[in-house]
Amino acid sequence: MTRYEAAPKETLRIVPLDALTLVYHRASGITHIVDTPVPEILEALTQGPLAAPELLALLGERFDLADADPEALAARLDELAAVGLVERL
């Protein structure tokens, strides 16, 4: 099972901006403008590597995710990995 972890903390600068969040990725020099659940995913993955079902369970404890879609989370993790904000292990 694929596990994911956030890019190293020192490579990310995360700044909340009203309803959106700016994530500057120092390694690529790109600033990403993201919305929920990306900041929450990145925060959860700073605790250590997690598989998508583990991450979904953790996010479910913190937020009301009664109708959460595991496939949507897996797709989002793949998108984040593609831009370097998350690493696949």
Side-chain angles (χ1 to χ4, degrees), residues 11 24-32 83-85:
T11 67
Y24 176 66
H25 185 231
R26 288 181 175 98
S28 67
I30 297 173
T31 300
H32 303 272
V83 297
L85 299 180

Side-chain angles (χ1 to χ4, degrees), residues 7-78:
K9 190 174 185 171
E10 61 274 2
T11 67
L12 300 178
R13 171 95 166 111
I14 300 173
V15 180
L17 182 67
D18 294 326
L20 300 174
T21 300
L22 303 178
V23 180
Y24 176 66
H25 185 231
R26 288 181 175 98
S28 67
I30 297 173
T31 300
H32 303 272
I33 301 171
V34 299
D35 195 3
T36 293
V38 172
E40 294 81 2
I41 289 170
L42 293 175
E43 180 184 338
L45 292 176
T46 62
Q47 299 176 23
L50 296 170
E54 296 168 324
L55 177 59
L56 188 60
L58 180 63
L59 292 172
E61 292 172 8
R62 295 181 184 173
F63 307 100
D64 180 23
L65 299 178
D67 60 348
D69 181 1
E71 291 179 18
L73 178 60
R76 183 59 53 98
L77 288 167
D78 288 339

